[in-house]
Amino acid sequence: MKLCMIGTGYVGLVSGVCFSDLGNDVICVDKDINKINNLKKGIIPIYEPGLEELVLKNYKNKRLNFSTNLRDSVKKSDIVFICVGTPTKKNSNSADLTQVFSAGKEISKSINKFKIIINKSTVPVTTGDELEKIIAKKVNKKYFSVVSNPEFLREGEAIRDFIYPDRVVVGSNDKKSSKILKNLYSPLISKGAKFVSTNRRAAELIKYASNAFLATKISFINEIANLCEKTGIDVEDISIGIGLDKRIGSRFLRAGPAYGGSCFPKDTKAIVSTAEKFKINLSIIKSVIKSNNLRSHLLLKRLTLIMKNKIKNKKISFLGVTFKANTDDMRDSSSLELIPYLSKKGAKIKYYDPTGYKKEFKNLKNVEFSTSIGESIKGSDIVIIHTEWNDFKSINFKKFSKNKKLIIYDMRNIFSSSKIKKIGFKYFGIGR
Ligand code: UGA
């Protein structure tokens, strides 16, 4: 099939590349000419394991192309995916849909035969209805169908998540489009993915409800971890003990710092805001947002206790600053709260991240980037493990530190506390 992806951010680029790998002809469109020129040279704008190889392979075999010309690309395609950003609006909690609607307007100028217009961007329920109205101003409804096909990719695991999804959700108000989409996804369905066909509004809500539910699970275990810390229990035992109940499930029960990234914080706020428009109070999701907003503060309070109220001039090695491992994404990472606070309190921080230097800390006092794990740990009083990169899981602390009183604060519970204690260092985890 001939596909066009509008927007080469996470969702557009990963889905476009994977669709081309499944044998479709795909054009990825973006306004940003530098991005497009770079992609043509195989320079990928994001860090995502496996993506570069797939871009190079499919660009070379000409199934994948890149363009800044939206109208021309839409004309050449049967299915058009809108994959643009839906950030939180300034001074509001709702999603800013400007880019979705402006893509819709542009598309409407290029419809020369029947096309399926798919919203893959995360959009509040009823956005598809509005998009349909915008396009219908220029084009007769018999020449297009607006469909919702939300994406469930995780950064850092995006290729795998695309190829082996648990489910493919297609929300369409016409059967013909749903059938075409089922055919497009048939290589994944034949490998075991469930195909969920709903009406358009339901698919839009499935996406928000999924993210809000996962955020709830994380906040739930984070709060249980707080109780574990006071009662001498290891939260890892609780995660195993409850997760084995199939009604609960073991995934997304890892306690840690506040959840971050470009989705959970934004989407939990947006679903609450959408519900308010319909006079519905999503009180559970509201508490999740509140709990997560308090999380960094709680972790800093514990850190202050661990350091016996002496943060000034303490040397801190901070490992991993992105919102989680296997990504270079800093959006809503809890490090953006933790590091500035510690810098303000007079700590001397050397941070290291496998994805390199981060401009976000450029203007902070006594915060510098280390080019290796060893350089960051050397001479430090405390090591904070903020993300769960594999690179951190086998650190030999003794090799890097001569400090016999070294403290390790493992915010992802990647080490066994008894093993660290055995080598003579003080260890603190989350919910332990
Ligand atoms: C999330 C969803 O997992 C995807 O299904 C969805 O497609 C995506 O948002 C989106 O809407 O685009 P992502 O934000 O990339 O994906 O990353 P996650 O792996 O879900 O992690 C989000 C946050 O939760 C991170 O800060 C992570 O460290 C935290 N987390 C996750 C935990 O603290 N504990 C867990 O057990 C799992």
Side-chain angles (χ1 to χ4, degrees):
M1 282 185 198
K2 293 192 186 323
L3 315 180
C4 165
M5 317 301 292
I6 300 179
T8 57
Y10 232 96
V11 172
L13 186 57
V14 172
S15 317
V17 171
C18 291
F19 275 132
S20 71
D21 205 54
L22 291 177
N24 300 286
D25 291 322
V26 181
I27 313 175
C28 291
V29 181
D30 206 288
K31 282 182 189 158
D32 185 338
I33 187 153
N34 282 331
K35 215 174 178 186
I36 291 299
N37 286 339
N38 279 338
L39 281 164
K40 285 181 178 171
K41 288 183 214 145
I43 302 169
I44 314 296
I46 47 174
Y47 175 90
E48 182 61 42
L51 185 59
E52 187 178 326
E53 293 85 323
L54 279 190
V55 168
L56 291 173
K57 175 184 155 197
N58 289 289
Y59 184 63
K60 219 169 148 190
N61 67 25
K62 296 195 167 52
R63 280 204 301 258
L64 178 66
N65 218 328
F66 301 101
S67 171
T68 51
N69 191 334
L70 186 145
R71 290 205 204 165
D72 194 38
S73 308
V74 170
K75 275 184 193 148
K76 288 179 187 156
S77 309
D78 308 310
I79 305 179
V80 181
F81 286 86
I82 299 178
C83 309
V84 295
T86 52
T88 306
K89 265 188 198 161
K90 276 203 180 107
N91 307 321
S92 146
N93 282 334
S94 53
D96 182 350
L97 301 173
T98 318
Q99 294 182 64
V100 174
F101 294 145
S102 84
K105 264 186 212 153
E106 284 299 305
I107 292 167
S108 71
K109 293 173 192 161
S110 322
I111 295 183
N112 49 352
K113 56 175 183 173
F114 179 79
K115 291 190 197 292
I116 303 179
I117 320 295
I118 298 184
N119 215 338
K120 235 190 196 322
S121 302
T122 301
V123 293
V125 56
T126 71
T127 302
D129 305 0
E130 286 179 54
L131 192 61
E132 186 177 88
K133 276 186 209 150
I134 289 172
I135 301 173
K137 277 185 191 162
K138 281 240 176 288
V139 188
N140 188 311
K141 275 193 189 168
K142 67 178 180 203
Y143 291 116
F144 74 96
S145 172
V146 173
V147 171
S148 167
N149 171 220
E151 197 44 80
F152 303 102
L153 307 175
R154 286 165 299 166
E155 292 187 18
E157 325 265 350
I159 307 284
R160 202 202 146 276
D161 282 353
F162 185 93
I163 301 171
Y164 301 103
D166 291 336
R167 79 300 203 190
V168 171
V169 175
V170 170
S172 168
N173 293 349
D174 77 277
K175 283 203 178 112
K176 181 179 154 194
S177 300
S178 183
K179 228 173 147 183
I180 295 172
L181 265 283
K182 191 171 182 183
N183 189 29
L184 176 68
Y185 279 106
S186 59
L188 310 184
I189 297 165
S190 65
K191 273 194 270 171
K194 295 267 183 304
F195 184 77
V196 181
S197 173
T198 65
N199 70 24
R200 193 168 57 209
R201 288 186 177 186
E204 289 171 337
L205 192 53
I206 284 171
K207 168 70 191 194
Y208 275 105
S210 298
N211 275 2
F213 190 82
L214 292 170
T216 305
K217 248 184 131 175
I218 298 166
S219 292
F220 178 86
I221 200 67
N222 282 342
E223 291 201 354
I224 296 294
N226 298 340
L227 179 59
C228 290
E229 281 168 19
K230 298 281 183 203
T231 47
I233 297 168
D234 188 336
V235 72
E236 299 297 322
D237 289 339
I238 306 299
S239 296
I240 294 168
I242 64 173
L244 284 170
D245 182 330
K246 287 200 179 72
R247 293 169 301 174
I248 297 173
S250 59
R251 297 171 76 190
F252 279 69
L253 276 183
R254 270 183 292 114
Y259 62 72
S262 64
C263 306
F264 289 171
K266 159 179 91 75
D267 295 346
T268 43
K269 281 191 275 182
I271 191 174
V272 165
S273 162
T274 303
E276 274 165 3
K277 277 189 204 145
F278 293 94
K279 302 212 172 355
I280 295 298
N281 177 20
L282 296 179
S283 64
I284 294 175
I285 305 176
K286 280 185 186 167
S287 331
V288 168
I289 297 171
K290 202 168 159 198
S291 172
N292 197 58
N293 286 343
L294 285 173
R295 184 99 191 119
S296 294
H297 174 74
L298 273 181
L299 262 50
L300 284 167
K301 214 167 134 191
R302 184 153 188 242
L303 180 64
T304 310
L305 280 177
I306 291 171
M307 299 182 78
K308 302 197 169 78
N309 283 319
K310 286 179 200 138
I311 292 183
K312 197 161 188 232
N313 292 325
K314 282 281 185 277
K315 294 186 185 103
I316 300 180
S317 158
F318 201 101
L319 300 181
V321 290
T322 53
F323 79 97
K324 64 169 190 176
N326 298 320
T327 179
D328 59 355
D329 199 338
M330 287 295 290
R331 283 176 288 177
D332 270 319
S333 170
S334 59
S335 72
L336 296 170
E337 278 194 69
L338 303 176
I339 292 184
Y341 175 91
L342 294 168
S343 148
K344 221 170 155 188
K345 289 281 171 193
K348 296 187 165 135
I349 301 160
K350 287 206 268 175
Y351 75 90
Y352 168 77
D353 193 281
T355 61
Y357 169 83
K358 304 293 168 204
K359 62 179 184 329
E360 285 80 355
F361 305 120
K362 186 170 78 185
N363 297 323
L364 295 182
K365 215 173 152 196
N366 285 324
V367 177
E368 59 177 78
F369 173 65
S370 297
T371 52
S372 69
I373 297 173
E375 193 192 311
S376 170
I377 294 179
K378 199 174 156 195
S380 61
D381 298 300
I382 180 163
V383 178
I384 295 176
I385 299 164
H386 177 256
T387 55
E388 67 280 32
W389 285 86
N390 280 339
D391 313 35
F392 302 155
K393 291 181 181 163
S394 53
I395 296 175
N396 181 345
F397 293 100
K398 270 213 158 142
K399 182 177 148 198
F400 296 130
S401 177
K402 301 269 169 287
N403 178 4
K404 291 209 167 78
K405 289 186 178 152
L406 183 72
I407 302 170
I408 289 142
Y409 188 12
D410 175 7
M411 294 186 173
R412 299 286 179 170
N413 292 347
I414 60 177
F415 285 97
S416 127
S417 53
S418 53
K419 266 192 195 159
I420 298 283
K421 281 177 190 159
K422 232 182 238 166
I423 53 170
F425 297 131
K426 269 203 169 146
Y427 176 90
F428 298 88
I430 295 281
R432 302 175 141 175

